[in-house]
Amino acid sequence: MLTIEWSLASGWEKPYIKPLENLSLHPASSALHYAIELFEGMKAYRGVDGKIRLFRPTLNMDRMARSARRTTLPPSLGVKKPTKALLYVILSPVGSYFASGSFNPISLWADPKYVRAWKGGTGDCKLGGNYGSAIYAQQEALEFGCQQVLWLYGEDHQITEVGTMNLFLYWINEDGENELATPPLDGIILPGVTRQSILDLALNWGEFKVSERYITMSDLTAALEESRVKEMFGAGTACIVCPISKILYKGKHLHIPTMENGPELTTRFLNKLSDIQYGREDSDWTVLVS
Ligand SMILES: *Cc1c(COP(=O)(O)O)cnc(C)c1O
């Protein structure tokens, strides 16, 4: 096998031809070449009582099974259906978001020239290919001084997800109702465990309208002009919730008043979910690890 290593510090090293090492993942693996690969992201929380809890792990396992079904569909391109698989579980300490004491809002870059996912694609599965292809846009967001990409979709610039988080908008909708809105699971949205949990909590509270609905950039800009936007936030296992303060769209900086509004609802979800995850509140959403 010809092997040439590369690093940022020294660039390309000398090429070597040497026998294939006994690697557990073969370099010709279809996981590397065709991204026949999937992953999951789940945390274990050490609670205030010292016990370790998983948060709704069956939702992750169900999603993993759906991703696996999608990757092993009858293949095209002469790529054969896999006959072997390798499962890695990487355990790494991540610390708690609270420990860092920060609840800093993020700025987003929205440009329809890049698309994260499309109808008939794999955006609703946690497949590696969805993420590697998003890095280029993320880099461009940083060049524009923004922290993450706001992924748009379609001619009407629907807002779909933010970076690798689901997106929520808490606003006064077109009919004058208080509404918590997130895009529907129509194939281009990753069904997040945090997204589902936020919807479940809000429906249970019953204090405002909860909708899985389309939201376009023009819906958002109209609402901003009419001061109907309360809070906007991303949601995912890594940060639980992440407030959004700015969107750069068509060369204009749109100010999102999330922080000015508390952010009351975003903080309430953060507190409620972390109370459950860290065992401050009993819930059948957690599973104890013995
Ligand atoms: C993992 C992921 C999420 C969040 O899912 P959680 O289960 O809440 O962690 C949202 N969007 C994308 C694109 C993701 O990959």
Side-chain angles (χ1 to χ4, degrees), residues 39-41 60 63 116 123 125-126 131 161-166 189-196 235-238:
F39 67 101
E40 263 306 320
N60 291 87
R63 187 169 68 193
R116 190 195 82 89
C125 293
K126 259 193 184 328
Y131 301 86
E161 295 206 52
V162 39
T164 56
M165 289 182 281
N166 293 116
I189 303 294
L190 193 287
V193 175
T194 319
R195 173 189 180 279
Q196 190 58 54
T237 298

Side-chain angles (χ1 to χ4, degrees), residues 115-231:
V115 180
R116 190 195 82 89
W118 45 89
K119 296 280 167 68
T122 57
D124 57 348
C125 293
K126 259 193 184 328
L127 307 189
N130 295 343
Y131 301 86
S133 58
I135 289 172
Y136 194 78
Q138 170 63 23
Q139 194 58 38
E140 201 158 326
L142 294 178
E143 281 162 23
F144 279 100
C146 299
Q147 285 151 300
Q148 302 232 357
V149 178
L150 175 59
W151 297 102
L152 304 179
Y153 183 78
E155 299 290 312
D156 54 353
H157 298 180
Q158 293 161 30
I159 54 183
T160 62
E161 295 206 52
V162 39
T164 56
M165 289 182 281
N166 293 116
L167 182 126
F168 283 86
L169 174 66
Y170 183 50
W171 68 339
I172 299 167
N173 70 13
E174 301 87 340
D175 302 324
E177 304 159 300
N178 282 346
E179 180 183 58
L180 178 69
T182 193
L185 301 179
D186 61 353
I188 64 165
I189 303 294
L190 193 287
V193 175
T194 319
R195 173 189 180 279
Q196 190 58 54
S197 305
I198 287 172
L199 290 174
D200 292 344
L201 286 174
L203 281 170
N204 187 254
W205 292 339
E207 296 169 22
F208 42 79
K209 189 172 178 181
V210 181
S211 308
E212 294 178 72
R213 55 159 283 179
Y214 294 104
I215 310 156
T216 64
M217 278 309 291
S218 61
D219 294 335
L220 179 66
T221 47
L224 285 170
E225 275 161 30
E226 295 161 16
S227 301
R228 287 189 283 111
V229 173
K230 296 169 186 275
E231 296 173 48

Side-chain angles (χ1 to χ4, degrees), residues 24-99:
S24 57
L25 185 66
H26 195 283
S29 163
S30 55
L32 296 175
H33 291 261
Y34 309 116
I36 301 182
E37 185 271 353
L38 63 103
F39 67 101
E40 263 306 320
M42 191 169 74
K43 282 181 181 173
Y45 304 84
R46 189 184 295 279
V48 289
D49 52 4
K51 291 180 183 159
I52 295 173
R53 289 173 178 79
L54 301 176
F55 181 73
R56 307 186 86 178
T58 52
L59 295 184
N60 291 87
M61 296 302 105
D62 290 346
R63 187 169 68 193
M64 193 169 189
R66 288 196 303 276
S67 297
R69 270 198 293 280
R70 189 68 168 84
T71 46
T72 55
L73 281 176
S76 55
L77 293 167
V79 182
K80 281 191 297 227
K81 187 165 173 160
T83 52
K84 285 190 193 177
L86 181 64
L87 176 74
Y88 291 110
V89 177
I90 301 172
L91 301 169
S92 72
V94 288
S96 105
Y97 195 67
F98 272 121

